[in-house]
């Protein structure tokens, strides 16, 4: 259940950056080849935000699909399978996209300091 | 009226782009650990396997026979059993209990290293929590990653746990002394392994009898 420590890390990173500002939305990017289970992150999120400035925030998760390049035949191919086999049969592949683990953005409550006149 | 989208019935908050990696803090600390170890000429190896694959038995033998000063960080959810076993060989060991945690992270390793205070030119073995899933994601600042699988676990483990097995710099297939009593096909194991980790050296060993361990010691000694 590494999703629990990852999700705790998300809340710690956000509060470290934004202090006590009330967060209403958190957008994460979790690639399909990252080895992280999105449903577990959602479950853990509801638990770890309790009592923090992120409590009650909406969680949006973007899940980029995987892309890899074969080092043997140089073909680029799409795959969401953690067993990265090129159509040529080689397993010597380089992942190009799909292992992302990012806090993309947060939305904070309107603040008088943000109002432009 | 909402200033962001012009709608009449609600107001939006402010969206702040963070673009921060989830593992940024761990990876930052791991980089410090790596730099610190290099500065005192200490190599650290992260041993990852399922519970019961024979990591501690392998370490008991390795620290006795490697011929280089060694110390060990033992990761388990509970108990100090493994650290006690290592200390009984005469080698320093620090036990890290993760409680509910299923893996070691760079914070735990940094703290344990401060306590262990390894001597210059030595080797530190980090025995991760027995788990073929979660340790894969966490850089500990190690010099190399060792994946240990054993012949009692089935040949298909590499395909069942591809994320972790892929990260191994070396793979040990342990308990080969039991092969005569099992239906384990080493060929099939190697085929499964190569589908997720095409290049890592593989050593067939028995930590109990010592078979094959010379190759493992050579690998450890040859690495910078």
């Amino acid at each position: 259940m590494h999703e629990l420590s990852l999700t705790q890390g998300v809340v710690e990173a956000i509060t470290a950056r934004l202090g006590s500002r009330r967060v209403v939305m958190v957008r994460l990017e979790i690639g399909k080849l990252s080895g992280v289970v999105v449903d577990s992150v959602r479950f853990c999120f509801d638990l770890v935000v309790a009592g923090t400035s992120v409590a009650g925030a909406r969680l949006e998760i973007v899940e980029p699909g995987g892309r890899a390049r074969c080092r043997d035949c140089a073909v680029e191919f799409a795959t969401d399978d953690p067993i990265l086999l090129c159509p040529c049969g080689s397993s010597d592949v380089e992942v190009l996209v799909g292992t992302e683990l990012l806090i993309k953005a947060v939305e904070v409550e309107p603040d008088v300091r943000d109002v432009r006149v | 009226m909402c200033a962001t989208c012009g709608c009449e019935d609600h107001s939006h908050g402010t969206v702040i782009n963070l673009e921060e990696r989830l593992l940024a803090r761990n990876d930052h600390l791991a980089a410090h650990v790596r730099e610190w170890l290099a500065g005192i000429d200490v190599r650290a190896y992260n041993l990852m396997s399922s519970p019961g694959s024979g990591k501690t038995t392998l370490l008991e033998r390795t620290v006795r026979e490697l011929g280089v000063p060694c110390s060990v960080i033992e990761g388990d959810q509970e108990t100090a059993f493994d650290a006690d076993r290592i200390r009984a060989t005469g080698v320093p060991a620090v036990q890290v209990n993760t409680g509910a945690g299923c893996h070691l992270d760079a914070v735990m390793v940094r703290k344990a290293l401060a306590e262990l205070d390894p001597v210059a030119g030595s080797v530190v073995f980090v025995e991760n929590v027995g788990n073929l899933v979660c340790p894969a994601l966490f850089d500990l600042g190690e010099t190399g990653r060792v994946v240990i699988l054993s012949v009692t676990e089935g040949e298909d483990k590499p395909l069942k746990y591809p994320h972790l097995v892929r990260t191994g710099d070396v793979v040990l297939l342990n308990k080969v002394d039991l092969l005569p009593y099992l239906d384990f096909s080493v060929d099939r194991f190697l085929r499964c392994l190569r589908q997720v980790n095409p290049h890592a050296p593989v050593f067939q060993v028995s930590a109990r009898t010592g078979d094959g361990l010379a190759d493992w010691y050579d690998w450890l000694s040859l690495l910078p």
Side-chain angles (χ1 to χ4, degrees):
Chain A
M1 198 58 171
H2 50 296
E3 285 79 5
L4 180 58
S5 48
L6 284 177
T7 313
Q8 281 167 334
V10 168
V11 175
E12 282 165 17
I14 291 171
T15 50
R17 288 277 285 270
L18 299 173
S20 58
R21 282 195 76 174
R22 190 113 205 119
V23 174
V24 294
M25 184 277 291
V26 173
R27 186 178 301 132
L28 305 180
E29 187 170 297
I30 299 178
K32 290 198 170 172
L33 298 177
S34 66
V36 172
V37 180
V38 166
D39 282 346
S40 297
V41 171
R42 290 187 189 284
F43 177 79
C44 295
F45 187 78
D46 289 339
L47 301 177
V48 302
V49 295
T52 74
S53 57
V54 190
R58 185 171 82 253
L59 180 61
E60 292 181 3
I61 301 181
V62 184
E63 296 177 76
R67 279 200 75 75
R69 181 190 294 120
C70 179
R71 291 197 183 94
D72 283 333
C73 74
V75 156
E76 257 188 55
F77 59 100
T79 179
D80 293 342
D81 189 335
I83 299 167
L84 294 161
L85 278 183
C86 173
C88 80
S90 171
S91 59
D92 193 1
V93 300
E94 173 195 3
V95 177
L96 305 173
V97 183
T99 56
E100 302 79 2
L101 283 175
L102 289 170
I103 307 169
K104 292 295 284 182
V106 295
E107 184 180 333
V108 292
E109 269 188 347
D111 187 305
V112 285
R113 287 169 296 184
D114 295 333
V115 174
R116 290 184 209 118
V117 185
Chain B
M1 189 175 78
C2 163
T4 306
C5 67
C7 61
E8 296 290 344
D9 55 356
H10 70 105
S11 63
H12 286 288
T14 308
V15 173
I16 301 171
N17 288 319
L18 293 180
E19 292 289 340
E20 182 162 328
R21 287 178 306 117
L22 263 65
L23 289 164
R25 182 158 179 264
N26 183 79
D27 293 351
H28 180 77
L29 286 173
H32 276 298
V33 167
R34 190 169 281 114
E35 197 177 324
W36 182 77
L37 289 170
I40 55 170
D41 187 29
V42 169
R43 290 174 286 147
Y45 295 98
N46 178 6
L47 274 60
M48 305 182 297
S49 81
S50 31
S53 65
K55 287 189 297 299
T56 314
T57 305
L58 176 83
L59 281 178
E60 285 174 311
R61 202 160 185 133
T62 301
V63 298
R64 279 199 189 104
E65 297 177 352
L66 186 62
V68 174
C70 297
S71 55
V72 176
I73 296 171
E74 284 288 351
D76 276 303
Q77 289 201 321
E78 280 300 331
T79 82
F81 294 162
D82 285 358
D84 291 343
R85 282 174 60 183
I86 296 298
R87 286 187 201 116
T89 69
V91 163
V94 170
Q95 182 79 45
V96 178
N97 287 132
T98 58
C102 46
H103 56 268
L104 295 177
D105 61 29
V107 180
M108 300 173 192
V109 169
R110 188 174 71 159
K111 187 162 170 274
L113 280 171
E115 192 179 334
L116 198 60
D117 195 18
V119 298
S122 67
V123 175
V124 176
F125 294 101
V126 182
E127 182 174 340
N128 218 312
V129 178
N131 179 347
L132 284 176
V133 182
C134 307
L137 271 182
F138 295 86
D139 185 359
L140 306 180
E142 70 272 62
T143 313
R145 286 189 164 196
V146 183
V147 171
I148 301 160
L149 297 161
S150 59
V151 298
T152 48
E153 295 171 54
E155 303 120 339
D156 51 7
K157 277 291 178 293
L159 296 184
K160 288 181 172 174
Y161 299 93
H163 287 288
L164 185 136
V165 174
R166 179 178 299 119
T167 68
D169 296 304
V170 64
V171 177
L172 302 186
L173 179 62
N174 193 22
K175 307 189 187 181
V176 293
D177 53 307
L178 294 176
L179 280 173
Y181 313 104
L182 301 169
D183 292 326
F184 186 94
S185 160
V186 173
D187 284 346
R188 178 160 182 244
F189 167 78
L190 291 172
R191 281 199 303 276
C192 292
L193 176 69
R194 288 314 184 202
Q195 286 189 46
V196 296
N197 189 330
H199 296 306
V202 183
F203 303 129
Q204 298 177 40
V205 303
S206 166
R208 193 172 71 85
T209 65
D211 277 359
L213 289 180
D215 294 332
W216 157 237
Y217 301 154
D218 283 348
W219 185 85
L220 285 168
S221 302
L222 289 173
L223 284 186

